Amino acid sequence: MTEVLLEVKELKKYFPVAQGMFYRRKGVIRAVDGVSFQVHRGETLGLVGESGCGKSTLSRVILQLFPRDAGEIRYRGRDVEELDRSQRSKLRMVFQNPYGSLNPKEKVFSAIAEPYRIAGGYSRQQIEEEVLHLLGLVGLSPAHARRYPHELSGGQRQRIAIARVLALEPEFIICDEPVSALDVSIQAQILNLLKDIQEEFGLTYLFISHDLAVVKYICDRIAVMYLGKIMEIAPARALYAKPKHPYTRALLSAVPGAADQLSFERIVLEGDTPNAIDPPSGCRFRTRCPYAEEVCAHEEPDLTSCGTEHFSACHLLHKLAG
Ligand code: SF4
């Protein structure tokens, strides 16, 4: 295994919920509730789960867009709060909606040039050369530099957002649903672009998605999140061939056309995800798990090793092993 670039330990992020005329605190949403994982240099770790499971909040806490409530986030062994500006610029993010991440009044040139202007120390000519170089890297021409975001297609806008993120030589990029707002025909192009630039620059990705087909295509390892916790984490191949956790099995059961190829009993998820203000006791998945037993209501299962780099948080891990 290569060097650990990012290490997250027992990370927690709660959002207070207020109610009534005097906005009295009613409780907290446990968006991220004790999450631990490592990302190794050069790999792509996928983070999957239903909407509201906490995966996007987790990414924003890592980048310090939200303060954490507890836990550690270490980048190359240093707490992210101790990183200086140039070290922080090594951690970047590609957002789901490229239109939202670009200023509609700003031409493409300015959008890509901005990180260089903020960093300082670059001449006008150097910035121009960098912008044109980055446009070429993401498959666009110099002519695109003179356009506004609304003059571009969704795929082109996401290419611009990626070019901007590549400025100043990043090392670690969080991709938050980077293709889910795009047409299916464009998704593969953007995924291939992300793969190509990863190989060329030795980038490391944390790739967030609700789409298991997309994650399978691009990720080396995958972490499955439910209600603020990681339920299973494994190499991609092992997770798809032999998922251990009932929630992972339920997600894979729901992939269109997958029913005939499952190596386990199909699970149809029923009901909604419980409220993160008051998650179920014990195992958080127990209210939707077809295998739940009494112990599941009383004790929270730990992530337990069940194969090479494969961990699952389920009391019935060995009983259900397939
Ligand atoms: Fe289901 Fe119990 Fe395992 Fe949770 S611990 S996934 S409720 S069997």
Side-chain angles (χ1 to χ4, degrees):
M1 221 5 126
T2 50
E3 174 200 358
V4 173
L5 207 57
L6 181 85
E7 179 160 33
V8 171
K9 266 193 203 163
E10 284 303 311
L11 190 64
K12 294 184 181 174
K13 177 63 193 170
Y14 297 167
F15 294 103
V17 181
Q19 202 183 37
M21 223 166 78
F22 300 105
Y23 292 98
R24 290 221 170 84
R25 189 163 157 147
K26 185 185 156 202
V28 289
I29 296 174
R30 297 160 183 265
V32 177
D33 202 10
V35 165
S36 303
F37 61 87
Q38 295 178 334
V39 190
H40 300 263
R41 180 182 285 283
E43 79 165 336
T44 300
L45 175 69
L47 199 53
V48 296
E50 293 165 288
S51 151
C53 70
K55 52 193 192 304
S56 288
T57 300
L58 174 60
S59 66
R60 282 153 179 78
V61 177
I62 290 171
L63 290 186
Q64 301 181 78
L65 302 176
F66 295 149
R68 73 189 105 153
D69 288 312
E72 293 179 26
I73 310 166
R74 297 195 165 272
Y75 187 73
R76 290 170 155 227
R78 287 185 73 181
D79 192 294
V80 285
E81 284 181 9
E82 293 167 6
L83 300 178
D84 62 29
R85 203 165 91 174
S86 94
Q87 290 168 324
R88 275 204 302 274
S89 74
K90 301 292 177 196
L91 288 81
R92 309 296 296 275
M93 185 151 172
V94 176
F95 292 90
Q96 174 180 0
N97 179 358
Y99 200 56
S101 61
L102 297 170
N103 182 346
K105 293 180 185 160
E106 194 176 58
K107 286 188 178 173
V108 165
F109 182 91
S110 299
I112 303 177
E114 190 183 12
Y116 296 101
R117 291 198 181 115
I118 292 172
Y122 291 87
S123 68
R124 166 93 201 165
Q125 192 189 339
Q126 282 173 319
I127 292 177
E128 196 171 322
E129 283 170 9
E130 292 290 345
V131 170
L132 297 183
H133 175 62
L134 289 174
L135 278 172
L137 277 177
V138 298
L140 295 174
S141 73
H144 287 101
R146 295 188 294 276
R147 303 212 184 137
Y148 288 97
H150 73 268
E151 297 176 300
L152 304 169
S153 67
Q156 287 171 335
R157 284 198 286 263
Q158 196 57 298
R159 286 175 191 270
I160 300 296
I162 292 169
R164 194 177 140 105
V165 157
L166 286 177
L168 302 177
E169 300 175 2
E171 294 174 337
F172 178 82
I173 299 179
I174 296 180
C175 304
D176 187 4
E177 303 267 12
V179 297
S180 59
L182 303 176
D183 290 346
V184 175
S185 58
I186 307 295
Q187 288 187 0
Q189 294 175 17
I190 298 297
L191 291 174
N192 286 333
L193 172 63
L194 287 168
K195 274 187 160 192
D196 290 346
I197 58 174
Q198 178 175 41
E199 209 174 297
E200 185 161 351
F201 300 107
L203 298 171
T204 305
Y205 292 150
L206 178 62
F207 193 96
I208 296 171
S209 180
H210 68 281
D211 187 331
L212 284 149
V214 165
V215 168
K216 185 180 185 184
Y217 182 68
I218 199 162
C219 296
D220 302 303
R221 288 190 304 134
I222 296 169
V224 179
M225 238 180 129
Y226 185 78
L227 266 186
K229 293 245 176 213
I230 289 181
M231 297 282 132
E232 183 164 7
I233 184 164
R237 195 174 292 186
L239 192 103
Y240 282 85
K242 292 198 169 178
K244 305 291 185 191
H245 198 281
Y247 179 56
T248 311
R249 292 183 181 187
L251 291 179
L252 289 172
S253 298
V255 172
D260 300 341
Q261 299 161 22
L262 301 177
S263 61
F264 50 86
E265 197 180 338
R266 186 165 181 250
I267 300 176
V268 178
L269 264 186
E270 284 174 13
D272 293 327
T273 310
N275 194 330
I277 298 176
D278 186 21
S281 60
C283 172
R284 291 180 181 208
F285 186 55
R286 72 177 168 81
T287 53
R288 299 169 87 194
C289 179
Y291 307 112
E293 295 186 355
E294 206 179 325
V295 63
C296 306
H298 303 301
E299 285 176 34
E300 187 165 356
D302 292 324
L303 275 171
T304 307
S305 175
C306 53
T308 310
E309 297 176 64
H310 196 156
F311 299 86
S312 175
C314 174
H315 290 303
L316 306 191
L317 182 57
H318 298 294
K319 204 164 150 186
L320 298 178

